Amino acid sequence: MGKALLVVVVLLAGTLLAGVAPASAHAVLTGSDPREGTVLKTAPEHVTVSFSESVALTEDSVRVLDPDSRPVTAGDPVRADGRADTARVPLTDGLQQGTYTVSWRVLSEDSHAVSGAFTFSVGTPSQTRAASAAEPAVAPSIDVLYGIGRYVAYGGLALLIGTAVFVQVCRPGAGATQALRGPFLAGWWALTLATTALLLMRGPYASGDGPAGVLDPRLLRDTVGSRPGIALLVRLALLLLVAMLLRHGRSEERHDRRTVTVGIALTLALATTWAAAEHASTGIQVPAAMTSAALHLLAMSVWLGGLTALLVTLYRAPAAVPLRPAVVGRFSRLALGAVGVLAATGIYQSWRGLGSWDAFTTPYGRVLALKTGTVILMLTAASYSRSWTGRLLRVPPVQPVLVTAGSGQGTPPDPPTKDGPGAVPEAAGIGSEGGRRGLRRSVLAEAVIGVAVLALTTVLTGSQPGRATVEAARASTVSGQPDVNLTVVPFDTGAPAGSGRVQITLEPGRVGRNVVEAVVFGADGGLIAIPELRLTFTQTDKRVGPLDAELVDQSGYWGSDTLDLPLAGTWMMRATVRVSDIDQVTVSKTVEIAS
């Protein structure tokens, strides 16, 4: 049975690892056509949005509403030019003038839902428009329930793994092992039930539906075909194997090396089900990140679950069978190793999730800082536990009660002299009430703080990493605060109907390659078509330019993506506007280009 279980574990873990590819944690909107805020002369045939990574689409991934809040899409979203990082939706014919609202919602490679909204106009902007605020990516009720499910799953894993490791490594004795069977089974049931609930809620989490979608067969079918759904199914299969292994080992009372090896393989595979479907599976250095995430989760489980096992042993172990000091000493060393792994993997994951000091100002960075402080507080409590442990290990064990054969009566050994080698202070032994009380308090404090650490870990797994947030602020062009340079230049050729203004957008308005878009408005504020528009940039102080933007008429606006500005600072922008065969004028305005 042991070899068969190992083969199954390898196959299940391989299923999870297949198809894992680098991407950015949480998709970021990087562009759209039409762009946010643009005014088009003619109605577009479709709307396209582009992202920083591949995204999963649903039938409502892109919605377009007219000024009266009526949908104007003519089909479901599809990939633009076959690219997995895009979504394109066709529009109905005969769109009226006014402002249109585009709302989007997709699933990132790391399985988290993201959403947003922006507007564009046809003809002239309208006074009325649909609400442009993005809807929540996940229904609030599902978001709360899904977070609770993840928290319970973390707690169940910690109990399951921590208790098992405590029994195998610390060897607390038959009485304590029997007392720990309850926490072990509680961990198994908590993890199994939480995983089942997460599997059912994954459908409405991905689609944006409410709790009514939990039992929707269509959503459940979509879930089992997705990577998060496969990870949850694999986790349930692994938990079934754990139950089979437990029953097999109990029925034959076997705890040989082969059984332990299979148990270790199952433990590693369980941790992989998290690493393969969360932040570690996307972004930079995916193999190292997944390894680090699995080790971090295992070390957390060994420490927090082991603390719970030690606490149960201290409170529930029979007084007649005192906890041996060697057991506490073994756990102290085990916990110290787990803390070392947590520190090493935590530093790496913090760097990977943040990327810069600026990212500490993001929600992810603030939660990470709070978690770090909480872990430091937990380590402080752990130092008291180690202090108690060291004190107890330096004290000789309490003399046992000898039982004579056939009499059933305990015969105590000769009492030690006050100053003899067998002298034991009354409250110093771990079996004494004083020793137990001190260790109980410090371990209980660690366990309570550990509950808070688990809660913060759950919040982190559901938050956008700080690195992605900073990248979104820099790269996103339609996220409500686009990184663009907008300039309006008035013009007047002196001819009738020869005045108006040119609205010019530089994106990102920084050194390097820029996208240029320009629209021309007449004296009445409406869009007008002109036969020619030329735009040049000159930096007189550095004797650079003029650089021609090489604008091309795009049937509603003038655009180019070839302008390369080599220097930061103040540039003179000159626009030559020709409104007829003989009427033209050149106007200028300064623009600031960032580094």
Side-chain angles (χ1 to χ4, degrees):
M1 178 178 178
K3 292 182 179 180
L5 283 175
L6 281 174
V7 171
V8 173
V9 168
V10 171
L11 290 176
L12 292 175
T15 301
L16 284 176
L17 293 173
V20 174
S24 299
H26 280 37
V28 175
L29 188 65
T30 57
S32 70
D33 182 17
R35 310 188 75 82
E36 180 188 20
T38 57
V39 181
L40 307 179
K41 182 179 179 181
T42 58
E45 297 180 355
H46 51 253
V47 170
T48 304
V49 288
S50 303
F51 299 91
S52 59
E53 64 178 50
S54 300
V55 294
L57 304 181
T58 64
E59 61 182 14
D60 292 328
S61 285
V62 183
R63 299 170 60 235
V64 185
L65 303 177
D66 69 8
D68 298 323
S69 300
R70 294 174 299 194
V72 292
T73 53
D76 294 337
V78 296
R79 307 293 187 183
D81 302 323
R83 293 169 48 195
D85 59 352
T86 63
R88 173 177 289 173
V89 63
L91 303 180
T92 57
D93 296 329
L95 297 185
Q96 62 180 338
Q97 289 192 343
T99 300
Y100 289 78
T101 300
V102 180
S103 63
W104 53 268
R105 182 187 180 280
V106 295
L107 290 176
S108 302
E109 283 286 340
D110 64 355
S111 78
H112 290 89
V114 291
S115 63
F118 63 94
T119 62
F120 69 91
S121 300
V122 176
T124 58
S126 58
Q127 297 296 325
T128 60
R129 64 183 66 181
S132 59
E135 297 180 358
V138 181
S141 56
I142 289 293
D143 198 25
V144 171
L145 292 173
Y146 203 80
I148 294 174
R150 279 195 298 227
Y151 180 79
V152 174
Y154 277 126
L157 183 71
L159 275 178
L160 185 68
I161 294 178
T163 303
V165 172
F166 181 85
V167 170
Q168 290 293 327
V169 176
C170 301
R171 303 189 297 277
T177 299
Q178 186 62 33
L180 291 174
R181 183 172 179 81
F184 179 85
L185 293 177
W188 186 90
W189 278 108
L191 183 53
T192 301
L193 294 176
T195 302
T196 303
L198 290 173
L199 185 65
L200 293 174
M201 288 188 291
R202 182 66 203 177
Y205 180 92
S207 66
D209 295 335
V214 168
L215 300 178
D216 188 334
R218 178 181 58 85
L219 294 180
L220 189 59
R221 183 173 61 253
D222 293 341
T223 295
V224 298
S226 65
R227 186 169 61 181
I230 293 173
L232 293 171
L233 286 173
V234 169
R235 190 180 304 166
L236 285 175
L238 292 170
L239 288 169
L240 179 61
L241 291 177
V242 170
M244 293 171 59
L245 179 65
L246 181 64
R247 183 175 181 179
H248 174 72
R250 187 184 181 192
S251 63
E252 300 184 12
E253 296 184 353
R254 294 175 58 185
H255 300 283
D256 56 17
R257 182 175 298 178
R258 184 175 60 180
T259 304
V260 172
T261 301
V262 174
I264 293 174
L266 288 170
T267 299
L268 293 174
L270 278 173
T272 304
T273 63
W274 268 272
E278 295 287 352
H279 292 153
S281 63
T282 63
I284 61 174
Q285 303 175 355
V286 171
M290 290 183 61
T291 302
S292 175
L295 291 176
H296 193 82
L297 189 60
L298 290 173
M300 178 274 297
S301 300
V302 169
W303 187 16
L304 298 185
L307 277 175
T308 304
L310 179 60
L311 197 61
V312 169
T313 303
L314 287 170
Y315 275 92
R316 297 184 59 184
V321 186
L323 184 64
R324 298 189 302 273
V327 174
V328 183
R330 294 188 193 108
F331 177 74
S332 179
R333 292 188 293 272
L334 179 66
L336 185 61
V339 169
V341 174
L342 280 172
T345 55
I347 291 173
Y348 170 74
Q349 291 180 193
S350 298
W351 168 80
R352 185 175 182 271
L354 294 174
S356 66
W357 292 108
D358 294 340
F360 270 107
T361 62
T362 65
Y364 181 92
R366 289 192 290 268
V367 174
L368 181 60
L370 181 58
K371 178 184 175 181
T372 302
T374 307
V375 171
I376 291 174
L377 186 62
M378 189 173 177
L379 288 173
T380 303
S383 68
Y384 284 98
S385 297
R386 286 185 59 81
S387 176
W388 269 107
T389 301
R391 186 181 310 173
L392 295 170
L393 290 175
R394 288 192 298 269
V395 176
V398 177
Q399 295 294 330
V401 175
L402 301 181
V403 181
T404 59
S407 67
Q409 300 295 324
T411 304
D414 294 334
T417 61
K418 181 177 181 180
D419 299 324
V424 179
E426 179 181 357
I430 196 168
S432 67
E433 187 59 31
R436 281 175 176 258
R437 188 182 303 116
L439 195 55
R440 281 175 185 169
R441 284 196 297 262
S442 60
V443 172
L444 180 60
E446 283 186 76
V448 170
I449 301 173
V451 172
V453 172
L454 277 181
L456 293 172
T457 300
T458 304
V459 174
L460 279 177
T461 58
S463 303
Q464 183 180 41
R467 182 189 292 268
T469 302
V470 173
E471 289 177 356
R474 293 174 180 171
S476 178
T477 61
V478 290
S479 59
Q481 291 183 335
D483 190 8
V484 298
N485 187 313
L486 179 65
T487 306
V488 177
V489 185
F491 69 89
D492 189 350
T493 65
S499 62
R501 68 184 190 277
V502 182
Q503 178 179 295
I504 303 166
T505 300
L506 294 179
E507 186 180 330
R510 298 177 179 273
V511 169
R513 189 172 180 177
N514 281 259
V515 175
V516 185
E517 292 184 357
V519 290
V520 184
F521 298 91
D524 60 355
L527 285 176
I528 61 173
I530 62 174
E532 184 181 357
L533 176 62
R534 186 184 179 201
L535 196 63
T536 62
F537 293 80
T538 305
Q539 195 173 77
T540 306
D541 294 343
K542 301 294 178 62
R543 298 182 180 180
V544 178
L547 304 178
D548 195 336
E550 300 180 355
L551 296 180
V552 177
D553 190 353
Q554 302 287 349
S555 301
Y557 69 96
W558 294 77
S560 167
D561 61 357
T562 61
L563 177 64
D564 194 343
L565 299 176
L567 300 172
T570 303
W571 288 74
M572 180 62 68
M573 180 174 62
R574 290 183 174 87
T576 300
V577 185
R578 183 162 64 89
V579 297
S580 68
D581 291 340
I582 60 174
D583 296 312
Q584 75 174 37
V585 66
T586 298
V587 290
S588 60
K589 199 165 188 178
T590 59
V591 293
E592 293 293 330
I593 300 300
S595 58

